[in-house]
Amino acid sequence: TKGTRLVYAKGYTYGEPSPTYPDVMPTTVFRQASVSKTFAAVAMWKLIQQGSATLNTKVQVVLNLNQPDGSAPKDSRWADIRIRHLLESTSGIKQGLIWWGGEAVKAFGGQFPVTHQQLARYATTHDLTGSPGDANNVSYGNFDYFLLGLVIAKLAGTTTFEQALNNLVLMPLGMTKTRQSRTLITAQASDEARHHMRVFEPKKGWPLFPLQIGSSVKGSGTVPAHYGAWDYELLDGCGGLSSSVVDVARLVAMFNDRSANPVLNSTTLDSLFDNAVNATNSLDTPDVADPKDKAPAHGYHGFDGATAVDAAKHVYRASKGGWLPGQGTEVIFRTGGYGFILAQNGNLGEVVKTEWLDPVNKAAKAQAWGPEDLFTDYGMTPLSPSVGFAEAPDELSVEVTGQRPMSRVADSLARQAPARIRISVSK
């Protein structure tokens, strides 16, 4: 993207031609993993704009969660968790609980699949790791954004997060290729990429799994790990969305529309970015999931990090990565400037490099893009021009986080709960 326009979209397929294996197109739908958090944050800020909540709204006022036996949360500090804490990864909740669906099912004496309410209520049986909002207790918000999805659905008056997202964000932007991810390949739509388990990063605790299998979270039996061992329908705003790169580009372009934005007005855009920048600057402490690992924390208002290039002129940089075994997405953009989205249906380790940003960035800047907006080719009406923006002369880079977004999310996931992700998986 450049400003509010889509200027280039392309899909690449590395595989032998096959009548049963689809070519990757710009409209091909990919699992977005943690890029789902960007969608969730925008939906939450839309609700804040509408007056349905504020950053200081208490989560328990909205959800009123209790333990499986009906008693109040074990840790009384649950009552102090606010929407801001979910957006900024500072709730104090153990973030690895997102993978504890099996324990939640047992706590309720039920059977798979676990429900959203069961997992949320099971989490209240655990103590918090610290006081909500503690700037020295930041841990990448997987469970935080899972809860945020429940909050969004409740405040929007819908049954599911997917319905709320559609009403708040997708329909206003004309996005038709974003939906809830499907766990089982039999439930996957024909326009979605085929995902592959090709993880090989032993330094991060991910040895080679040429054929990783596990117990189905949707019932009984053994399934390929990436098609049944993790419940994507449960992840919602944490990591449970699938989308095309064109739809993700539309979301990025929306951040540039300050005059007739169908989702967020200019005041809300400023608040979102100012809060994201402030959180990046003030909460960039070591991830407490493993104090021995000095990796910085991240995950603020839908981004891994954001910086102000020129706040007075509304120019910001932001990035977001998404990663789970068998998938990966990277989003890097500058408001008023260029935005890049890359989605892949496999994971590449240290042997094969995909250093795409620098060459693509240079190619984009060397091209004299005309006034054409490719969004109209995909049934989307043009957004308003980026009036008032000033593109800084330096090139877009990964300086926002100091690390490629996809890799940063993968590292956080490995720190938080790699054993939980593989809890029922046979090597």
Side-chain angles (χ1 to χ4, degrees), residues 106-329:
K106 293 177 183 177
F108 283 91
Q111 298 178 335
F112 278 115
V114 63
T115 69
H116 293 76
Q117 278 294 314
Q118 285 174 338
L119 184 58
R121 290 178 60 189
Y122 171 74
T124 68
T125 67
H126 290 256
D127 289 323
L128 300 184
T129 61
S131 297
D134 184 349
N136 295 311
N137 190 29
V138 185
S139 186
Y140 184 58
N142 281 311
F143 202 90
D144 286 347
Y145 276 77
F146 162 76
L147 278 188
L148 191 68
L150 301 186
V151 169
I152 290 168
K154 189 68 175 292
L155 291 175
T158 60
T159 304
T160 67
F161 167 72
E162 186 178 23
Q163 293 170 339
L165 182 69
N166 189 56
N167 295 341
L168 294 167
V169 180
L170 305 184
M171 284 198 302
L173 287 171
M175 298 161 66
T176 61
K177 292 290 186 177
T178 301
R179 63 183 77 116
Q180 187 183 60
S181 298
R182 298 293 180 249
T183 299
L184 301 178
I185 194 169
T186 53
Q188 194 178 74
S190 60
D191 62 350
E192 183 157 347
R194 301 290 191 270
H195 299 286
H196 304 277
M197 181 62 68
R198 296 190 296 128
V199 179
F200 182 48
E201 295 186 88
K203 292 182 180 179
K204 298 178 182 179
W206 300 97
L208 178 63
F209 293 114
L211 179 60
Q212 189 176 5
I213 59 176
S215 299
S216 175
V217 295
K218 294 297 184 181
S220 59
T222 300
V223 293
H226 53 299
Y227 277 120
W230 311 306
D231 194 335
Y232 281 95
E233 286 85 355
L234 187 69
L235 297 180
D236 275 352
C238 156
L241 291 180
S242 290
S243 184
S244 70
V245 290
V246 170
D247 268 23
V248 179
R250 182 71 164 182
L251 191 70
V252 169
M254 180 275 300
F255 290 124
N256 295 278
D257 186 347
R258 298 185 58 82
S259 58
N261 193 311
V263 178
L264 302 180
N265 60 37
S266 59
T267 300
T268 304
L269 286 171
D270 288 341
S271 295
L272 188 160
F273 280 107
D274 289 342
N275 276 278
V277 170
N278 181 66
T280 302
N281 292 336
S282 62
L283 301 176
D284 198 19
T285 57
D287 192 324
V288 297
D290 185 354
K292 294 180 293 185
D293 190 327
K294 299 303 181 182
H298 59 112
Y300 313 121
H301 297 271
F303 307 125
D304 288 323
T307 59
V309 177
D310 190 336
K313 295 182 178 180
H314 317 290
V315 182
Y316 300 91
R317 282 181 181 156
S319 65
K320 186 72 195 81
W323 185 92
L324 277 171
Q327 67 196 78
T329 300

Side-chain angles (χ1 to χ4, degrees), residues 39-96:
F39 286 86
V42 170
M44 188 65 247
W45 273 99
K46 177 67 174 291
L47 289 165
I48 292 172
Q49 176 179 283
Q50 292 177 344
S52 300
T54 71
L55 291 176
N56 287 320
T57 295
K58 293 183 177 180
V59 172
Q60 276 292 74
V61 171
V62 180
L63 298 181
N64 192 29
L65 298 173
N66 51 32
Q67 296 188 58
D69 63 5
S71 61
K74 178 185 178 184
D75 193 323
S76 62
R77 292 175 294 180
W78 270 83
D80 299 326
I81 300 173
R82 302 172 189 268
I83 288 174
R84 175 186 291 280
H85 303 146
L86 300 184
L87 284 166
E88 297 182 353
S89 302
T90 58
S91 71
I93 300 171
K94 295 177 180 178
Q95 298 304 309

